[in-house]
Amino acid sequence: RMTRPTTGIPIFQPSIDRAQILSLHELTFIDRRENVIFLGPAGVGKSHLAVSLAVTAAERGKRVYFSTLSDLVLSLVEAERLGKLRERLSFLKQPSLLVIDEIGYLPVTAGGTNLFFQVINARYERSSMVLTSNKTFKEWGSIFGDPVAAAAMLDRLLHHCHIVNIKGNSYRLR
């Protein structure tokens, strides 16, 4: 079973701390402007947990925006091309919770890395983010093609952050 019937809160992955997931669903991390990062291989429930937090936040009246990293970067590149980057960054600063899924599945261009850094920097200590990645933090330099930019992103993201490492095999392959 993927969710607990009475609360809808995910409890399916035995490698994670159930108390930590229940605590995150209280959403106090949003009030404290902290981040959550789910790490683990494909298919272990990272996106499921991120969506669950997003839905819980929306149900409690919080503004939420969800995107994959590749779609977010494409929207930023397009906004920059149209001369509307400032407006796009302003829009992305507004939600109480920004969920960025699938960090590490596709490489990011140098321009995309710069634009994504601007999003992280704009939200730093102002509002919360939930991110999912199938890569360790050490591998983020290769994802973004720039170890210095990746380190600067991680410095801001991890400063106030709850990290959930998920181990195990893909549920899709069962």
Side-chain angles (χ1 to χ4, degrees), residues 7 17 49 62 76 80 82-83 97 107 122 131 149 169:
T7 63
D17 178 2
L49 289 165
K62 307 279 188 197
L76 291 164
E80 185 176 48
L82 296 172
L97 183 61
L131 301 98
N169 297 318

Side-chain angles (χ1 to χ4, degrees), residues 19-89:
Q20 182 184 28
I21 301 304
L22 292 172
S23 175
L24 289 172
H25 278 82
E26 292 172 10
L27 304 181
T28 55
F29 76 94
I30 294 175
D31 299 330
R32 293 188 306 263
R33 298 176 179 100
E34 298 168 345
N35 301 314
V36 177
I37 300 178
F38 294 107
L39 298 173
V44 296
K46 300 178 303 293
S47 298
H48 183 82
L49 289 165
V51 167
S52 179
L53 287 174
V55 168
T56 301
E59 287 174 345
R60 294 192 191 158
K62 307 279 188 197
R63 287 187 66 189
V64 177
Y65 186 82
F66 180 98
S67 180
T68 64
L69 177 62
S70 59
D71 286 346
L72 180 69
V73 169
L74 285 174
S75 77
L76 291 164
V77 168
E78 181 67 6
E80 185 176 48
R81 187 183 70 75
L82 296 172
K84 298 184 181 227
L85 182 59
R86 183 174 300 187
E87 292 91 341
R88 184 71 179 150
L89 289 171

Side-chain angles (χ1 to χ4, degrees), residues 142-154:
S142 63
I143 295 166
F144 294 102
D146 183 344
V148 174
M153 284 184 226
L154 287 168

